[in-house]
């Protein structure tokens, strides 16, 4: 690979969001903007090979892409084309090749808030974010989210059509709208990460690239919204969770529970950064959902060993979390904490109540949790039945193998 090719690849990784966001504002059309950006990268490969890599690759690419977008827009008979985006301010003349890249964060926010608009379905928000904010190709997004490329292409197309039909604006929300919209963006980033933290199906426990994309998005949001405590808290949560990744499986790829993990394998730099972010967020009330989740993750990571885990404090944090965000999944996680703070019998009663919640009817972690509680209580036959039920609901092969091992131990 030539120096120019390496520079283009590095610029795609580092500058894609900057360049696309700026081109989208000028074009008023995500499809046109994407074409302009791809053309700019193609030109870079030729031009940089001949003339050398510029001092500011992102500025060079942005200038080329936005000039092309402006040219196409001026040619058009109407402001919109395939995917209209409302542009709140008139298009300005573009700067020259000495564009200051520090001026682009607001453009990235426009792009992020458009892709994560709450009017779009959650799956569409994730797909658009990976496609346009992260710069993944459609086939890469499809592979990451475990669907066919055809299905993903249709999903992205439907989402773009909805943006057009509902007039979703390409802008940063007003101060009054910001809290709700930030929450939507943070939820998308969290879903991107969790989709990588534990793969929904397949032969691998994790999807590391997707998890890294989630952390990258969280870093970007924290940099763009430094006063937003929940953005800092989300980044902390992801770092504190990711710090344990290498210890979650053994050399053979088998699942290792938190209580059995070799904590020497945990990434102490990520833990330290996450703890610093948590401490800063907790000093700026009100503390939101991600602040509480990050505080729980920090308590796990601070414990020198499993026995040193502060379960009473973790349970208290789950009580606060459930009071503010009464989700069935939070209630299930609280039941797990309850089992270690006050014993499995009390937790089993709580889990049995959750079994009546329709949203958890096919949730594999509910039956797996119930199986583990019955095992700890010495009810082998009932635990075995619960493990068999959990196996029917579990698509991840690593998790299924763990459940099968537990079942074999009982039978």
């Amino acid at each position: 690979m030539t120096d120019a090719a390496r520079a283009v690849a590095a610029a795609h990784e580092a500058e894609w969001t900057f360049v696309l966001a700026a081109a989208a504002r000028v074009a008023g059309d995500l499809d046109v903007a994407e074409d302009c950006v791809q053309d700019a990268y193609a030109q870079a490969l030729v031009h940089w090979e001949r003339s050398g890599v510029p001092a500011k690759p992102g500025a060079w690419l942005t200038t080329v892409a936005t000039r092309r977008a402006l040219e196409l827009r001026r040619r058009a008979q109407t402001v919109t084309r395939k995917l209209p985006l409302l542009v709140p301010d008139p298009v300005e003349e573009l700067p020259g090749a000495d564009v200051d890249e520090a001026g682009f964060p607001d453009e990235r926010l426009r792009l992020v808030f458009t892709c994560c608009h709450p009017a779009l379905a959650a799956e569409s928000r994730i797909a658009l974010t990976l496609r346009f904010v992260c710069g993944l190709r459609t086939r890469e997004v499809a592979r990451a989210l475990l669907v066919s490329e055809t299905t993903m292409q249709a999903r992205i197309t439907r989402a773009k059509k909805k943006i057009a039909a509902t007039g979703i604006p390409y802008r940063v929300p007003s101060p009054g709208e910001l809290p709700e919209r930030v929450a939507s963006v943070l939820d998308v980033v969290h879903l991107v990460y969790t989709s990588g933290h534990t793969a929904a199906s397949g032969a691998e426990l994790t999807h590391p690239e997707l998890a890294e994309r989630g952390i990258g998005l969280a870093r970007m949001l924290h940099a763009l919204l430094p006063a937003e405590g929940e953005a800092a808290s989300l980044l902390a949560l992801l770092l504190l969770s990711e710090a344990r990744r290498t210890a979650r499986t053994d050399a053979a790829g088998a699942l290792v529970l938190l209580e059995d993990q070799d904590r020497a394998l945990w990434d102490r730099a990520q833990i330290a950064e996450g703890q610093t972010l948590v401490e800063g967020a907790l000093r700026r009330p009100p503390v939101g959902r991600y602040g509480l989740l990050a505080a729980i993750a920090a308590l796990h990571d601070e414990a020198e060993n499993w026995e040193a885990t502060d379960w009473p404090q973790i349970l208290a944090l789950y009580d606060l979390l459930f009071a503010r965000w009464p989700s069935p999944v939070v209630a299930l996680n609280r039941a797990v904490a309850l089992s270690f703070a006050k014993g499995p019998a009390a937790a089993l009663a709580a889990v049995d109540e959750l079994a009546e919640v329709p949203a958890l009817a096919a949730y594999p972690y509910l039956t797996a949790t119930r199986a583990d509680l019955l095992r700890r209580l010495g009810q082998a036959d009932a635990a075995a039945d619960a493990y068999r039920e959990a196996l029917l609901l579990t698509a991840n092969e690593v998790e299924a193998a763990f459940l099968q091992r537990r079942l074999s131990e009982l039978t």
Side-chain angles (χ1 to χ4, degrees):
M1 183 182 290
T2 65
D3 290 343
R6 279 192 290 270
V8 169
H12 185 277
E13 181 71 23
E15 310 289 354
W16 171 270
T17 310
F18 285 103
V19 182
L20 180 63
R25 182 181 67 84
V26 174
D29 182 315
L30 277 178
D31 282 337
V32 173
E34 186 179 15
D35 289 343
C36 294
V37 172
Q38 289 175 343
D39 182 61
Y41 276 93
Q43 288 189 48
L45 194 57
V46 175
H47 186 83
W48 297 358
E49 192 73 56
R50 184 176 62 248
S51 305
V53 178
K56 295 182 177 180
W60 191 98
L61 289 161
T62 300
T63 299
V64 172
T66 49
R67 282 179 173 166
R68 176 61 176 162
L70 183 59
E71 177 187 354
L72 292 175
R73 182 166 181 170
R74 283 171 172 168
R75 286 181 184 178
Q77 296 299 314
T78 178
V79 173
T80 58
R81 192 180 175 196
K82 300 174 188 173
L83 171 63
L85 295 175
L86 301 183
V87 182
D89 51 349
V91 177
E92 300 173 357
E93 288 298 323
L94 295 173
D98 59 344
V99 173
D100 180 3
E101 294 166 75
F104 292 140
D106 285 349
E107 299 300 335
R108 287 189 294 173
L109 278 177
R110 292 175 192 257
L111 182 62
V112 169
F113 279 115
T114 300
C115 292
C116 299
H117 197 282
L120 300 171
E123 61 182 17
S124 297
R125 283 181 262 163
I126 295 174
L128 287 177
T129 300
L130 289 174
R131 178 70 191 90
F132 293 112
V133 181
C134 294
L136 298 184
R137 296 175 177 85
T138 302
R139 65 175 178 272
E140 294 172 326
V141 178
R143 185 169 62 247
L145 299 181
L146 305 172
V147 300
S148 69
E149 185 175 350
T150 302
T151 299
M152 182 52 62
Q153 183 61 60
R155 183 180 298 176
I156 291 172
T157 299
R158 285 196 303 271
K160 291 191 292 185
K161 286 181 178 178
K162 182 158 187 179
I163 290 174
T166 58
I168 290 175
Y170 185 64
R171 62 175 174 82
V172 177
S174 66
E177 300 172 299
L178 197 58
E180 176 190 0
R181 294 291 303 282
V182 167
S184 176
V185 172
L186 295 178
D187 288 346
V188 169
V189 175
H190 187 235
L191 284 170
V192 169
Y193 175 79
T194 55
S195 297
H197 182 260
T198 302
S201 62
E204 303 294 332
L205 178 64
T206 65
H207 192 316
E209 181 185 358
L210 200 54
E212 290 168 6
R213 293 285 180 181
I215 292 174
L217 287 168
R219 284 195 184 281
M220 183 182 74
L221 287 173
H222 178 49
L224 297 177
L225 301 167
E228 176 56 52
E230 279 290 82
S233 296
L234 176 62
L235 176 57
L237 172 63
L238 303 195
L239 290 170
L240 292 165
S241 301
E242 187 68 8
R244 311 181 207 123
R245 179 167 59 86
T246 55
R248 293 178 65 209
T249 54
D250 62 18
L255 177 67
V256 180
L257 294 182
L258 181 60
E259 60 193 271
D260 300 319
Q261 288 178 13
D262 180 358
R263 301 188 177 212
L265 297 176
W266 290 2
D267 189 322
R268 293 296 160 183
Q270 288 185 320
I271 291 173
E273 183 181 0
Q275 289 173 327
T276 299
L277 288 165
V278 170
E279 291 167 2
L282 295 181
R283 287 195 294 267
R284 292 182 293 175
V287 178
R289 171 160 54 106
Y290 290 114
L292 293 170
L293 286 170
I296 292 168
L299 286 173
H300 281 298
D301 287 8
E302 288 170 3
E304 293 183 2
N305 51 54
W306 176 255
E307 292 72 22
T309 306
D310 191 345
W311 289 110
Q313 188 171 353
I314 290 175
L315 180 59
L317 287 170
Y318 271 120
D319 287 338
L320 284 174
L321 181 61
F322 187 76
R324 300 182 187 184
W325 191 51
S327 156
V329 174
V330 171
L332 178 60
N333 290 332
R334 179 193 175 277
V336 174
L338 179 65
S339 76
F340 293 109
K342 299 186 178 180
L348 182 61
V351 169
D352 285 340
E353 288 183 11
L354 290 172
E356 305 300 321
V357 178
L360 297 181
Y363 191 58
Y365 299 118
L366 174 66
T367 49
T369 299
R370 186 172 184 275
D372 185 64
L373 294 173
L374 290 166
R375 179 189 64 83
R376 289 164 59 191
L377 288 167
Q379 300 180 33
D381 291 341
D385 289 340
Y387 278 121
R388 293 187 185 98
E389 182 181 351
L391 276 165
L392 293 174
L393 299 172
T394 300
N396 183 287
E397 295 175 22
V398 177
E399 292 181 322
F402 172 81
L403 295 173
Q404 185 61 58
R405 287 199 305 274
R406 280 289 168 90
L407 177 60
S408 299
E409 292 169 0
L410 290 171
T411 56

